[in-house]
Amino acid sequence: MHRFFVLSCIVLAAALSACSTTRERPDTSIKTASVIAPEGRTPSGKAANDDGTPPFAGPHHLSGRTLEVSSLADLKLNDKEVILSFDDGPIPGRTDKVLAILDQFGVKGAFMMVGEMAEMHPALARKVAMEGNAIGSHTYGHANLTSLDFDAAMDEVVKGELAVTKATGTDVSFFRFPYLAESHRLRAAIAMRGLVVMDVDIDSKDYFSATPVSVTQLTMNLLHKRGRGIILMHDIHKRTVTMLPTLLSKLETEGYKVVTLKFKKPQAPSNLVASADLVMTR
């Protein structure tokens, strides 16, 4: 009996060892609901650079217009226009590579930061802002707000906004619901805070255990159907870093333009300004 038990243990150990050589363990350093899965080869099949991205030489002509928005109503794209948005960061080794790729192609993105992540990596969060990207919050701990009562959900929103503001050194102007789980009441309350809620038109699904090339193809297929839109990606995944140069190259080849997003503080209605002037003269 003892001999049978020992042999069984040896067999089990060998099986586990074989699995560990073919499957990469999740990155537990990321404190969000997203899990990093095993990665595939570079989309081009060619040798990658030292940073894990394939080489794409310039010059590039992907950069489009700058769109200033005060509310969701202003966020209107023309045909062949996209906004590149990245959720869940920042995280060293991923977000900085995404920034380098965007810079290589001469475009900017919109980064919806988790407050906890920005708090952990403030220098990187500030770098994202300093390079001219739009800054948004994604709650403090990536909570599903619809699973919380209203007050707890708004506490999570406010805490995340404050953490991202402190880390980046700039005002947070945009917001995205984790899991895209929202309610009319929450959406209205967040808008009352002066934040523009970022919706999603094209979900790359880069958070699934898919190869970078399949993520790129899915994104382009969805974009072909819509013709324009806000693309959702996540700057915490290796596959996103791997696929991004290929995606941007395809966008450029097909004549798309990447819109740079800027927040513009809404002006007070003229009747309110006139009333204020009247009060001051009395």
Side-chain angles (χ1 to χ4, degrees):
M1 184 70 179
H2 177 71
R3 183 179 179 183
F4 176 76
F5 176 76
V6 172
L7 289 174
S8 299
C9 290
I10 293 173
V11 171
L12 178 61
L16 291 175
S17 177
C19 290
S20 66
T21 62
T22 58
R23 182 166 185 167
E24 180 181 338
R25 293 182 180 179
D27 188 338
T28 56
S29 66
I30 297 176
K31 295 185 176 181
T32 72
S34 301
V35 178
I36 294 177
E39 304 299 329
R41 294 178 57 83
T42 59
S44 63
K46 299 178 181 179
N49 292 325
D50 291 339
D51 64 357
T53 62
F56 285 85
H60 295 285
H61 308 282
L62 186 57
S63 180
R65 65 187 173 117
T66 296
L67 178 62
E68 294 186 340
V69 300
S70 299
S71 67
L72 184 61
D74 300 324
L75 219 168
K76 296 178 180 178
L77 299 176
N78 299 322
D79 286 338
K80 292 278 187 172
E81 286 187 334
V82 299
I83 292 173
L84 307 173
S85 67
F86 300 89
D87 286 8
D88 291 1
I91 184 169
R94 313 287 170 80
T95 305
D96 45 338
K97 291 178 181 178
V98 168
L99 291 176
I101 295 167
L102 295 180
D103 182 65
Q104 181 183 13
F105 281 83
V107 296
K108 306 297 179 184
F111 288 77
M112 307 293 111
M113 298 185 185
V114 173
E116 186 178 30
M117 300 297 286
E119 211 170 59
M120 291 172 62
H121 311 293
L124 185 54
R126 185 177 293 270
K127 178 178 173 65
V128 175
M130 291 289 289
E131 294 192 3
N133 299 284
I135 302 299
S137 62
H138 198 41
T139 73
Y140 182 77
H142 204 275
N144 183 335
L145 298 185
T146 60
S147 68
L148 305 175
D149 64 52
F150 179 78
D151 289 338
M154 287 307 299
D155 285 345
E156 176 75 8
V157 171
V158 173
K159 186 178 180 182
E161 180 186 344
L162 293 176
V164 174
T165 298
K166 182 178 180 180
T168 59
T170 187
D171 291 335
V172 172
S173 305
F174 301 91
F175 176 85
R176 177 171 282 149
F177 285 94
Y179 311 103
L180 304 181
E182 61 176 275
S183 69
H184 292 301
R185 187 181 181 190
L186 283 171
R187 194 178 183 97
I190 290 168
M192 287 295 291
R193 292 188 60 81
L195 299 175
V196 177
V197 175
M198 285 279 287
D199 291 323
V200 173
D201 298 316
I202 298 157
D203 186 353
S204 71
K205 298 191 183 299
D206 59 348
Y207 44 87
F208 286 157
S209 297
T211 63
V213 67
S214 64
V215 174
T216 302
Q217 191 60 56
L218 171 64
T219 303
M220 292 305 299
N221 288 344
L222 293 173
L223 185 56
H224 290 154
K225 293 178 181 178
R226 291 188 61 93
R228 72 188 86 175
I230 302 170
I231 300 175
L232 169 63
M233 293 173 283
H234 298 77
D235 54 319
I236 63 171
H237 294 307
K238 288 180 181 178
R239 72 176 62 82
T240 305
V241 174
T242 302
M243 61 78 76
L244 187 57
T246 302
L247 175 65
L248 297 184
S249 184
K250 285 181 178 293
L251 291 174
E252 187 173 34
T253 299
E254 296 187 20
Y256 288 90
K257 294 292 183 180
V258 173
V259 170
T260 299
L261 203 56
K262 296 288 185 184
F263 180 76
K264 180 177 66 174
K265 289 185 178 181
Q267 295 180 346
S270 57
N271 61 331
L272 293 180
V273 175
S275 298
D277 289 341
L278 181 62
V279 170
M280 290 297 291
T281 57
R282 288 181 177 178

